[in-house]
Amino acid sequence: MRAVYAESINREDPLAGLVVGERPDPQAPEGWARVTVKAAALNHHDVWSLRGQGLKADALPMILGCDAAGLDEEGNEVVVHAVINDPGFTGADETTDPRRSLLSERYQGAFADTVVVPRRNLVPKPEGLSMVEAACLPTAWLTAYRMLFVRGGLRPGESVLVQGVGGGVSTALITLARAAGLRVYATSRSEDKRARALEIGAHEVFASGERLPVKVDAVMETVGRATWEHSVRSLRPGGRIVISGTTSGPQVDDAMLTHVFFLQLSVIGSTMGTRDELDALVQLLHSTGTRPLVHAELPLERAREGFEQMVAGDQVGKIVFTL
């Protein structure tokens, strides 16, 4: 079958190990399902895998891709939940399983004609949501949904700052927050990306580090080192930072702990989301008409172009491969 896979790992030149070619058809163990992939979305996770983060050399060759929408064995349209739990896990929240993994870490990923996943990982796709739109949801959009409404506990009328507009998570955060009735502020170093943030739902945009006119209820943080001080200073007393990534680096020169305890701020970690949260997200988009921002659609054979765009950081929204 056609597939996009990591043949080798190269920390300095991740695309050196990227191959667009053929791989054997996968076999589905008992309790797992075969999905004929119709669309699959690219994430930073796929580039990190090529650098060896989360993907070990002894697992190669590994088909990349976490996000997919397609048809199950009965022809039903489905969205694939990318979190694969340890068979012995019995908790209610699969993101807390210490032995969990994502597709393309221990199990072959979604950038292929066929992907196999546990049957429970299939979420029905509503008819009004396209395959391309649905493929955007399982990682970036699910991460944003959990950050805002599960871990962040945000409610209509509250205010939120989204740091670092550009990638799939930040654009999802803006779109979902606006759809849920929040007051949305956003930052970016790029004037073009700030303009795009306004188009997709931000009420006001600012240059990175620029002082906001008000203190916000919550900050959605995926940047880390470069924006941490600004995030802390932008919160009202009792506010919270929800963090799901550190694209500029995990270490900060000053954690601003005095501000954290004196203003009673909360720092909340968030990772991916559950299968049921993905189902709720799908239903939210179906009922509200909200749709993911798609930067580019490319046939699977042109996957390298999509990876090159992501490495360059030029995209606003999701890059989706079609099959």
Side-chain angles (χ1 to χ4, degrees), residues 146-155 158 240 242 268:
R146 184 176 176 89
M147 290 176 73
L148 288 165
F149 308 123
V150 180
R151 301 294 287 157
L154 283 159
R155 299 292 180 265
E158 291 191 299
R240 59 263 196 210
V242 183
I268 304 166

Side-chain angles (χ1 to χ4, degrees), residues 64-319:
L64 300 171
C66 301
D67 294 356
L71 303 174
D72 69 9
E73 293 142 321
E74 287 75 45
N76 301 305
E77 296 187 340
V78 295
V79 188
V80 175
H81 180 45
V83 179
I84 310 295
N85 286 107
D86 183 81
F89 180 72
T90 58
D93 182 344
E94 52 259 43
T95 67
T96 63
D97 176 4
R99 293 183 56 81
R100 72 184 184 279
S101 67
L102 293 181
L103 280 175
S104 76
E105 292 179 348
R106 291 201 294 268
Y107 303 97
Q108 299 293 325
F111 292 165
D113 287 316
T114 304
V115 65
V116 297
V117 294
R119 192 167 297 279
R120 185 184 181 278
N121 284 49
L122 302 184
V123 172
K125 182 187 80 64
E127 193 171 306
L129 199 64
S130 74
M131 288 290 183
V132 167
E133 291 164 344
C136 297
L137 304 182
T139 297
W141 277 68
L142 180 57
T143 296
Y145 180 91
R146 184 176 176 89
M147 290 176 73
L148 288 165
F149 308 123
V150 180
R151 301 294 287 157
L154 283 159
R155 299 292 180 265
E158 291 191 299
S159 58
V160 62
L161 168 63
V162 178
Q163 295 280 25
V165 176
V169 175
S170 60
T171 54
L173 285 164
I174 293 169
T175 308
L176 289 173
R178 182 63 182 256
L182 304 176
R183 182 75 184 178
V184 186
Y185 303 90
T187 68
S188 176
R189 295 175 295 176
S190 163
E191 185 176 348
D192 289 343
K193 290 182 178 180
R194 293 196 296 271
R196 197 70 167 133
L198 289 172
E199 292 176 9
I200 63 175
H203 291 90
E204 297 183 60
V205 295
F206 303 89
S208 297
E210 184 178 350
R211 184 173 180 176
L212 305 187
V214 297
K215 300 291 187 180
V216 298
D217 294 297
V219 177
M220 300 295 111
E221 176 63 83
T222 61
V223 180
R225 178 197 294 269
T227 55
W228 185 257
E229 180 177 346
H230 185 252
S231 293
V232 173
R233 293 189 184 280
S234 297
L235 284 172
R236 65 161 176 80
R240 59 263 196 210
I241 296 175
V242 183
I243 181 168
S244 71
T246 56
T247 56
S248 68
Q251 304 299 325
V252 294
D253 296 328
D254 180 3
M256 302 184 72
L257 296 180
T258 301
H259 283 73
V260 172
F261 77 73
F262 187 74
L263 297 177
Q264 301 186 83
L265 306 179
S266 298
V267 178
I268 304 166
S270 186
T271 297
M272 283 292 289
T274 68
R275 184 264 180 209
D276 290 343
E277 287 163 6
L278 177 58
D279 191 24
L281 168 62
V282 169
Q283 295 307 317
L284 174 65
L285 268 61
H286 179 57
S287 62
T288 63
T290 303
R291 293 294 183 267
L293 176 63
V294 177
H295 175 79
E297 293 181 38
L298 297 167
L300 189 70
E301 291 77 9
R302 293 171 57 192
R304 180 172 290 273
E305 295 176 36
F307 275 82
E308 289 170 347
Q309 291 180 36
M310 176 156 283
V311 170
D314 293 335
Q315 85 282 0
V316 177
K318 298 295 293 180
I319 297 170

Side-chain angles (χ1 to χ4, degrees), residues 7-82:
E7 186 175 57
S8 62
I9 288 169
N10 189 317
R11 297 186 185 279
E12 302 304 320
D13 181 11
L15 300 191
L18 181 67
V19 178
V20 181
E22 295 286 326
R23 294 296 299 151
D25 290 332
Q27 301 301 311
E30 184 177 355
W32 288 50
R34 292 170 56 90
V35 176
T36 300
V37 178
K38 295 299 182 181
L42 184 62
N43 291 285
H44 284 289
H45 180 273
D46 302 304
V47 177
W48 296 334
S49 294
L50 289 163
R51 296 185 188 274
Q53 298 181 35
L55 178 60
K56 297 180 180 179
D58 60 9
L60 300 177
M62 175 63 73
I63 299 173
L64 300 171
C66 301
D67 294 356
L71 303 174
D72 69 9
E73 293 142 321
E74 287 75 45
N76 301 305
E77 296 187 340
V78 295
V79 188
V80 175
H81 180 45

